[in-house]
Amino acid sequence: RQLENRKSGLVQDFSNRQAAIYSRHAEHQRQVADRHRNELTVLNANVATLGAKAAKLEVEARNPQPDPEAQQAYDLELEAVQEAMHRIDELRGGLEPLERKLSRAQQQVIDEEAMMNGSQQSLEKAEGELQDVIDAGNAGEETLLGYLRVYKPDWAQDIGRIVSEKTLLRSDLAPALTGGGDLFGVTIDLDQLDATRLASEESIQQEIARLRQLVDKRQKQYDQDKAKLNEASRQRQLAKDARDAHQTHLNQAISAKVGADQRLTTARTRLQGSIDAARRAATAALEDCRTNLSAARTSLADTERRHAAELRDLEQTNATELVGLKQDHEKEVGAIVAAIQG
């Protein structure tokens, strides 16, 4: 009876000790799991952070952003070039009407100059005719006209009708009286010919008066045409000055655009340099981040493997302890059973 009680006590003790092992193992496993979870949370967070950073840097490396000051400087210079181009277009558009106006003014000068030259020629012709008549009125005996006035008073009725005024005023003909009333042996009907305007002093004065009036008329016409030419020349000069001033503004605008283009080129170079620098910086940072991310992923994988090994070791330790407990229990129970049977 005592052995039976002892056997029952061993069984109860085994059950209690087994339960204690399970409980201790469960608590240890919970603590290890909590520690693993905390470690993995930190490592996973680090991997996620580095992954997000790497993704951001990839975008920056593909599309690097320039320095804001370089971008602003480029935008301002680009705007200046566009304004310069607009200014040039406006000036070029305004130059064509001024060129047409100058061309019309130039043609007007040519026309007025032709009119004035015509008036001048007419004036000179009238003045020449007037001077010829005045010279005729003052002709001396050395001229054919003067000789005829002295030695052949009725010369206008015959010789004056067939001899030209130019010939009458010549002084190299050596005139002399001869007999006969014909012309080199030829008789003609002189009544069919008009008498010369130099036939008498009265006709000469009448012709002088007529020619003076003609000269005055031609002089007035010439003065008017000259005044028109002067006005046309003034208008041409005004048109030329306006065109030249506009051309000067256009040249200045073109020069300003050249300067703006140069500044834009410089700003573009600086902007591109800023973009390249940003790309290099992002690429270098991306490489560092990828290295860190790879190390973090490796650390995470190593930790996960270490955790798994630790859990296996824990399970193995618990299993070994249970096996030892069971073996000891079975040994003690076997001894009691053998004693009872013996």
Side-chain angles (χ1 to χ4, degrees):
R1 183 65 182 172
Q2 184 180 1
L3 291 175
E4 287 293 339
N5 291 336
R6 185 179 178 187
K7 177 182 177 183
S8 298
L10 288 175
V11 171
Q12 184 62 43
D13 181 63
F14 171 77
S15 177
N16 292 337
R17 291 174 64 185
Q18 186 180 48
I21 291 173
Y22 279 126
S23 177
R24 186 174 69 255
H25 174 71
E27 177 61 23
H28 191 192
Q29 192 174 41
R30 183 188 64 76
Q31 293 175 354
V32 170
D34 290 343
R35 176 168 53 81
H36 287 179
R37 183 167 51 253
N38 292 335
E39 290 179 359
L40 292 176
T41 298
V42 173
L43 292 175
N44 280 315
N46 188 37
V47 169
T49 299
L50 290 172
K53 183 178 180 180
K56 179 182 179 183
L57 290 172
E58 286 177 356
V59 174
E60 293 179 0
R62 287 194 302 268
N63 185 29
Q65 296 302 305
D67 179 73
E69 291 185 0
Q71 183 67 60
Q72 183 181 20
Y74 174 79
D75 293 340
L76 291 175
E77 296 302 341
L78 178 61
E79 183 179 356
V81 169
Q82 292 172 342
E83 290 178 355
M85 292 176 62
H86 180 67
R87 175 63 174 164
I88 289 174
D89 291 340
E90 284 185 340
L91 290 171
R92 281 177 175 165
L95 183 62
E96 185 177 354
L98 294 176
E99 291 283 6
R100 291 197 299 268
K101 184 175 181 179
L102 177 58
S103 179
R104 290 194 298 268
Q106 178 63 30
Q107 186 59 49
Q108 186 66 28
V109 168
I110 293 173
D111 295 342
E112 295 297 344
E113 189 173 18
M115 292 292 293
M116 189 197 74
N117 289 337
S119 298
Q120 185 177 15
Q121 292 174 1
S122 297
L123 174 60
E124 291 174 351
K125 180 180 179 182
E127 289 176 337
E129 291 179 359
L130 175 60
Q131 188 61 46
D132 288 344
V133 175
I134 293 175
D135 291 344
N138 298 328
E141 290 186 22
E142 72 278 2
T143 66
L144 176 58
L145 177 58
Y147 179 85
L148 292 174
R149 284 174 176 169
V150 174
Y151 297 103
K152 190 173 176 54
D154 60 347
W155 65 274
Q157 303 302 318
D158 45 30
I159 295 175
R161 295 191 180 200
I162 59 177
V163 178
S164 68
E165 293 181 1
K166 184 176 182 181
T167 302
L168 288 173
L169 294 175
R170 290 180 62 174
S171 59
D172 60 346
L173 299 180
L177 294 175
T178 61
D182 56 5
L183 179 64
F184 301 111
V186 178
T187 300
I188 61 176
D189 185 1
L190 295 175
D191 291 337
Q192 299 301 318
L193 300 175
D194 295 330
T196 176
R197 60 183 179 174
L198 307 179
S200 66
E201 183 65 27
E202 181 181 0
S203 64
I204 289 175
Q205 293 303 319
Q206 289 176 349
E207 185 64 12
I208 288 175
R210 185 188 72 80
L211 289 174
R212 286 190 187 281
Q213 290 180 350
L214 181 60
V215 168
D216 290 341
K217 180 180 178 181
R218 295 286 186 263
Q219 183 66 54
K220 290 179 180 179
Q221 185 63 49
Y222 171 77
D223 291 342
Q224 291 176 357
D225 291 342
K226 185 176 181 180
K228 290 181 180 180
L229 175 60
N230 291 337
E231 177 60 20
S233 297
R234 189 181 73 84
Q235 292 298 328
R236 179 184 63 182
Q237 188 62 45
L238 291 175
K240 183 177 182 300
D241 291 344
R243 192 281 311 272
D244 291 347
H246 199 87
Q247 183 66 56
T248 298
H249 292 155
L250 176 57
N251 293 339
Q252 291 172 345
I254 292 174
S255 297
K257 183 180 179 298
V258 171
D261 286 338
Q262 293 173 346
R263 291 191 299 274
L264 178 60
T265 299
T266 301
R268 183 183 294 111
T269 300
R270 291 176 178 172
L271 179 65
Q272 187 60 49
S274 174
I275 292 174
D276 292 341
R279 179 181 290 108
R280 289 192 298 269
T283 301
L286 176 60
E287 291 300 320
D288 290 342
C289 184
R290 283 174 174 172
T291 299
N292 294 333
L293 177 60
S294 177
R297 286 172 175 169
T298 299
S299 177
L300 176 61
D302 291 344
T303 299
E304 288 175 342
R305 285 193 294 270
R306 179 171 56 79
H307 287 178
E310 185 177 1
L311 290 175
R312 286 196 301 271
D313 291 344
L314 182 62
E315 289 291 342
Q316 184 62 40
T317 299
N318 185 64
T320 300
E321 185 177 4
L322 288 173
V323 169
L325 176 63
K326 184 176 180 182
Q327 289 177 347
D328 292 340
H329 174 67
E330 289 178 348
K331 184 177 179 181
E332 290 179 351
V333 172
I336 294 173
V337 170
I340 293 173
Q341 292 177 354

